Amino acid sequence: MWRHCRRSIVLCNACNKFRHVSRRHLLSSNYALQDTWENRWPSTVENVPFGRLSLKMIENFEKFGKSSVIDMEMLVKSLQNVSMENIELTEDIMYRFRHSDDGFPVRDSIVNAIVRSYIDLEIPDRLVPLIKDKLGYGLLLDNYTANLLMSHFLQQDMTEEAAMVAYEMMLQEDTSHPFTNCMSLYCCVKRLQEIGDIQPPEDAPIVADEEEEWTRVRIIHRPVYDDHFDIKKEHFKLGKSLYYLGRAGVVPDRDSSTKDLVSRSLQFVGLGLYNKFSKALDLLETWITAAKTNNTPVLCQKQIETFKNHLEWSPTRDPEEEELELGQQTQDYVARKLYLTEEEKAACMERFEKLTEELKSFGGISDQEIYSYILNNVQEQMKNLEGQEKSSQEKRYQDWKTEMLNLYKEQMKEESRLRKQQEIELKMAEMAEKEELILAHEKKREILLARFRVPVEAKRKEKEELDEDELEERMKNKRSIIKKKK
Amino acid sequence: LSIMKLFGRQSFFHGKSLMELTAQLKNPKGRVVTRLAFERYPEKSYYILSHVEHGYHKGNLTGYAWGTRVFRGYTFPGVRRIDSGGKRDWHLIPKEEEEEFCKIDKVYKPNFTPEKIDTQLPPLMEIVLKRNLKQRNVAFEGTPNLEGFYDFNSKDETKRGLYFNSLKDSESQSV
């Protein structure tokens, strides 16, 4: 009776997973492909429980430095109804897996299963810092898992985390999937509505008046700030992704004028947030020369205001400041060299005001509200593109199933081979011992001689610590012996 | 909090290692990558990646990358292995700037003619050669040269990476 109740509770829990997913307003209930995901594991492969597997994997990592891919897949499969300590264990195992030979690249099936199990356990917050640390954990999301994650965050009203995922997809510079483009645009625009008009926090000052700790290093590597993977500030990332998506032309061309308006304004706002003002103003000039003849609108009022605000709030650097020594420089210090000086900032302000006056003269500024237009447009697009995504993902689940089977067979072959090798070695050792006993009578002379051919370690006499009295007695004894000999 | 102050030798390089860059990319195929050391040449030189393999050795990221090479304007045929990926000198070029960057204006043509190069052999080798040729009663004029060992007129353009210790020509090319 009790067993029956327990099983039914477990079944109910299994059925209720992803129930919150079905109530999404952006994506339909079938997008999660719950049936195929539950049947993704081939039936001939065993289901090992979590505790045993994790301990075995940690042993393998410490002994051999690596554990096989199929072990990781099994572990990720068994991540259901797991407690908090075990989650920290899995994160540790993920770190070690990435630092082994099989961790480059981490397979898509593993990443997919990790993300889905975290969503089921309702702790997707822990995923975001892991996704950011690409060298350490290597969770490079493919398009399907990114869509799932972003929709989950949006449904829970966690726009910050959803935007973080969108930034990571932007950093890969891959706009070939229109569905993820739409999804990330949605997240970024929502985040813009929250953050766009708030002054970003000031930088922490580089303090040089505190204690100094000297450490000897063979070579001092220069700290490098590439403007892509090393960006730490959120509004820079937001701006860059908006610029990038605006260029890609995500909003479709029902009316070509609104399409151009939308893309231009997104690009302009993005560059303003990203603090690349000269680039934005160069683009504006080209747009004005193209639009002056037709008297078409170029930008919207709201975007111009946000650009102006960020121009005023942008931090500046002092060009006459002394450069720090190489040993004291950090990545932040190198990043601040890209800021504008005060003269350049004033020049940008003047140029900006000139161009806005030009725009007003021929009616290039429109009062349209873009954000709601974008959000509605993007939602309609996503509904049309869902079918393709689902069918392609189903195929991928089937492919992963067959790959898993092949991996399992190879692993079992290797293990049986290793076992046979060990048995053979044991047998050989036994045979060698027996041979020695049998042939001992014939090799008697060699065995006796071998005793004298053994290398002898030279014994070192320990130096005795003697007192003066004992020394005198010894010397007297020696002299007496010498006299006797004579 | 105390500040970490490092002292030691300064590095020549300004950049990241290739392995660090490509480990953060999901699809490194087709990306363009340069070294800052190539800026000393007026022509353009870069690599277009095709394939990367990573590994960990004693806690350090290592590996090899393969790609097509463009050095001083000349594209080498076929996919080659990049051996200097561990040097922290590499920069990734964003996709929107790839077209502009990859336009080749000038091509460097090395002129390895015997007139511009010092074709002396090492002295001991000269002596031994002369002695051998006398013993075998082979007639020769003048002193033995590099021209007997290297085909200067070959049109194999892949042999551009040779280093000659030229005293006459100061624009000799190094690998």
Side-chain angles (χ1 to χ4, degrees):
Chain A
M1 170 68 178
W2 174 237
R3 255 189 230 167
H4 172 74
C5 289
R6 215 168 51 181
R7 270 189 208 151
S8 59
I9 288 164
V10 167
L11 280 170
C12 284
N13 280 337
C15 295
N16 288 340
K17 294 263 161 78
F18 267 101
R19 193 179 51 174
H20 54 274
V21 160
S22 61
R23 283 198 236 125
R24 279 175 289 193
H25 56 280
L26 279 177
L27 301 175
S28 64
S29 57
N30 294 331
Y31 189 79
L33 293 172
Q34 187 68 9
D35 300 331
T36 42
W37 191 65
E38 281 171 8
N39 297 329
R40 77 190 192 287
W41 196 250
S43 49
T44 50
V45 181
E46 326 165 2
N47 248 332
V48 187
F50 176 83
R52 223 175 74 190
L53 231 196
S54 53
L55 288 171
K56 190 78 205 297
M57 281 181 82
I58 287 175
E59 269 184 46
N60 281 345
F61 280 126
E62 287 182 0
K63 273 194 215 171
F64 309 115
K66 65 174 186 178
S67 178
S68 63
V69 176
I70 192 81
D71 289 342
M72 194 68 197
E73 301 252 13
M74 274 195 224
L75 185 92
V76 151
K77 206 274 174 185
S78 62
L79 261 184
Q80 287 159 3
N81 302 322
V82 146
S83 63
M84 280 304 291
E85 295 169 349
N86 289 338
I87 285 164
E88 289 170 13
L89 230 191
T90 48
E91 286 172 9
D92 188 29
I93 289 173
M94 273 198 273
Y95 186 83
R96 293 193 201 205
F97 181 68
R98 175 67 166 171
H99 287 255
S100 68
D101 285 337
D102 297 321
F104 288 96
V106 180
R107 294 190 62 207
D108 284 339
S109 50
I110 295 172
V111 175
N112 194 9
I114 286 170
V115 165
R116 287 188 84 141
S117 41
Y118 267 68
I119 290 175
D120 280 341
L121 297 166
E122 296 180 7
I123 36 158
D125 310 344
R126 292 185 72 105
L127 263 182
V128 174
L130 303 184
I131 290 171
K132 279 187 189 175
D133 187 8
K134 283 162 268 199
L135 284 176
Y137 292 92
L139 294 173
L140 298 168
L141 304 173
D142 58 333
N143 297 290
Y144 182 74
T145 44
N147 298 336
L148 276 179
L149 241 192
M150 280 198 270
S151 64
H152 177 77
F153 280 135
L154 283 173
Q155 224 238 331
Q156 309 268 321
D157 285 333
M158 296 153 80
T159 45
E160 194 179 340
E161 280 85 359
M164 297 281 187
V165 179
Y167 306 150
E168 294 300 318
M169 298 308 290
M170 177 276 296
L171 285 177
Q172 305 294 327
E173 290 189 302
D174 188 11
T175 50
S176 54
H177 280 89
F179 200 87
T180 39
N181 291 347
C182 297
M183 206 71 207
S184 38
L185 224 202
Y186 194 93
C187 298
C188 290
V189 167
K190 280 227 152 176
R191 190 69 181 150
L192 223 201
Q193 284 173 329
E194 285 178 14
I195 277 186
D197 298 320
I198 300 171
Q199 191 173 7
E202 287 184 12
D203 302 329
I206 293 174
V207 182
D209 293 332
E210 291 189 3
E211 291 177 15
E212 289 171 352
E213 221 185 273
W214 292 73
T215 51
R216 176 101 170 83
V217 161
R218 207 174 158 202
I219 297 173
I220 306 174
H221 295 289
R222 285 164 201 273
V224 171
Y225 177 76
D226 65 344
D227 225 353
H228 193 65
F229 288 118
D230 295 331
I231 301 175
K232 298 272 161 70
K233 298 190 182 181
E234 216 211 313
H235 61 283
F236 279 17
K237 286 194 214 177
L238 221 200
K240 192 161 188 179
S241 42
L242 280 171
Y243 169 67
Y244 201 63
L245 290 166
R247 261 171 71 102
V250 180
V251 179
D253 50 351
R254 212 180 293 159
D255 319 313
S256 62
S257 57
T258 46
K259 175 193 172 193
D260 287 337
L261 227 197
V262 163
S263 71
R264 278 181 208 152
S265 42
L266 278 176
Q267 286 182 49
F268 197 66
V269 159
L271 287 171
L273 284 168
Y274 189 29
N275 284 4
K276 304 277 175 191
F277 303 113
S278 52
K279 198 175 174 184
L281 295 169
D282 290 336
L283 276 176
L284 233 197
E285 280 183 13
T286 53
W287 293 335
I288 284 170
T289 50
K292 238 183 181 175
T293 50
N294 302 332
N295 283 337
T296 49
V298 175
L299 289 178
C300 302
Q301 183 65 32
K302 184 90 206 276
Q303 276 68 27
I304 290 171
E305 284 174 15
T306 47
F307 185 90
K308 195 176 176 184
N309 288 335
H310 278 272
L311 229 196
E312 285 166 11
W313 296 331
S314 68
T316 55
R317 66 175 165 103
D318 196 9
E320 290 164 17
E321 210 182 342
E322 280 182 24
E323 236 192 82
L324 288 178
E325 290 176 16
L326 227 201
Q328 279 178 315
Q329 287 182 13
T330 55
Q331 212 180 42
D332 289 334
Y333 179 78
V334 177
R336 287 176 204 195
K337 290 187 182 176
L338 293 173
Y339 292 167
L340 300 170
T341 54
E342 296 204 13
E343 296 173 357
E344 289 170 4
K345 197 172 164 182
C348 279
M349 292 280 274
E350 283 180 32
R351 206 177 151 196
F352 172 66
E353 279 165 20
K354 265 193 208 172
L355 288 169
T356 43
E357 281 175 20
E358 243 193 276
L359 273 176
K360 280 177 193 170
S361 65
F362 71 88
I365 301 176
S366 76
D367 292 325
Q368 207 179 0
E369 268 209 44
I370 284 186
Y371 298 142
S372 49
Y373 174 78
I374 289 173
L375 294 173
N376 293 327
N377 202 322
V378 153
Q379 278 188 36
E380 284 178 28
Q381 252 192 312
M382 287 204 284
K383 280 177 194 167
N384 297 332
L385 292 167
E386 256 192 62
Q388 267 184 17
E389 287 273 319
K390 274 192 247 176
S391 54
S392 59
Q393 187 60 26
E394 274 192 40
K395 279 182 202 170
R396 286 177 82 200
Y397 275 128
Q398 302 296 327
D399 292 335
W400 290 343
K401 213 174 177 179
T402 50
E403 280 175 21
M404 220 90 83
L405 266 175
N406 294 335
L407 280 171
Y408 185 71
K409 282 178 192 170
E410 283 178 20
Q411 185 73 11
M412 298 311 275
K413 269 189 198 174
E414 271 203 45
E415 283 190 6
S416 62
R417 190 185 69 86
L418 280 170
R419 256 181 253 155
K420 278 189 184 172
Q421 205 177 353
Q422 280 179 2
E423 283 173 17
I424 288 166
E425 280 173 6
L426 278 172
K427 277 190 186 174
M428 295 285 279
E430 283 176 24
M431 302 250 288
E433 279 184 28
K434 284 186 187 173
E435 203 183 321
E436 255 191 78
L437 288 170
I438 290 166
L439 297 172
H441 185 71
E442 292 173 11
K443 296 189 181 176
K444 213 197 262 183
R445 204 170 166 231
E446 287 177 12
I447 291 167
L448 283 169
L449 281 174
R451 256 173 68 194
F452 296 101
R453 286 182 193 153
V454 170
V456 175
E457 288 180 20
K459 285 187 189 173
R460 283 188 183 179
K461 282 190 186 174
E462 290 179 11
K463 286 188 180 176
E464 295 174 25
E465 293 178 0
L466 297 170
D467 295 338
E468 286 181 5
D469 299 332
E470 291 175 13
L471 256 178
E472 279 182 28
E473 282 184 26
R474 280 215 171 174
M475 296 301 285
K476 279 182 190 173
N477 288 336
K478 271 193 181 176
R479 279 172 200 162
S480 61
I481 290 166
I482 290 164
K483 278 182 184 174
K484 277 186 188 175
K485 278 189 179 175
K486 280 184 182 173
Chain B
L1 284 174
S2 57
I3 299 169
M4 295 287 282
K5 197 169 179 182
L6 306 170
F7 64 97
R9 240 172 50 190
Q10 292 187 3
S11 74
F12 299 117
F13 302 131
H14 304 64
K16 291 187 176 180
S17 73
L18 242 193
M19 299 300 122
E20 275 184 61
L21 278 178
T22 49
Q24 299 178 40
L25 284 173
K26 197 168 168 69
N27 192 16
K29 192 168 182 178
R31 300 303 299 264
V32 175
V33 136
T34 43
R35 272 185 72 176
L36 270 182
F38 293 154
E39 283 184 2
R40 64 171 106 122
Y41 304 117
E43 300 91 354
K44 290 205 175 152
S45 36
Y46 52 87
Y47 284 89
I48 302 175
L49 294 175
S50 68
H51 170 58
V52 182
E53 282 179 8
H54 292 97
Y56 263 97
H57 179 68
K58 291 185 184 175
N60 298 320
L61 236 193
T62 53
Y64 285 112
W66 281 261
T68 52
R69 188 178 188 193
V70 174
F71 185 69
R72 297 188 82 173
Y74 176 74
T75 47
F76 285 79
V79 170
R80 298 183 163 210
R81 194 177 78 170
I82 302 170
D83 282 331
S84 50
K87 300 189 179 178
R88 295 197 174 197
D89 207 17
W90 297 91
H91 285 255
L92 233 197
I93 290 167
K95 275 195 177 172
E96 55 180 2
E97 294 170 19
E98 260 177 27
E99 276 189 47
E100 277 186 51
F101 190 84
C102 294
K103 279 183 197 165
I104 296 169
D105 299 332
K106 316 177 223 177
V107 181
Y108 175 68
K109 285 190 177 174
N111 286 320
F112 290 129
T113 50
E115 298 142 359
K116 294 192 179 179
I117 283 170
D118 178 19
T119 51
Q120 282 180 9
L121 281 177
L124 186 65
M125 203 171 170
E126 256 189 67
I127 294 166
V128 168
L129 261 181
K130 279 183 188 173
R131 200 202 297 163
N132 284 343
L133 290 169
K134 268 188 192 171
Q135 278 177 0
R136 292 175 200 174
N137 296 324
V138 174
F140 63 92
E141 286 179 3
T143 53
N145 258 344
L146 260 183
E147 294 175 42
F149 291 88
Y150 181 71
D151 186 10
F152 283 99
N153 294 323
S154 74
K155 299 204 172 170
D156 189 2
E157 287 188 333
T158 54
K159 288 191 177 167
R160 296 166 130 252
L162 296 170
Y163 174 68
F164 285 93
N165 184 14
S166 66
L167 299 170
K168 291 184 192 178
D169 197 325
S170 61
E171 286 178 337
S172 63
Q173 172 184 320
S174 64
V175 178

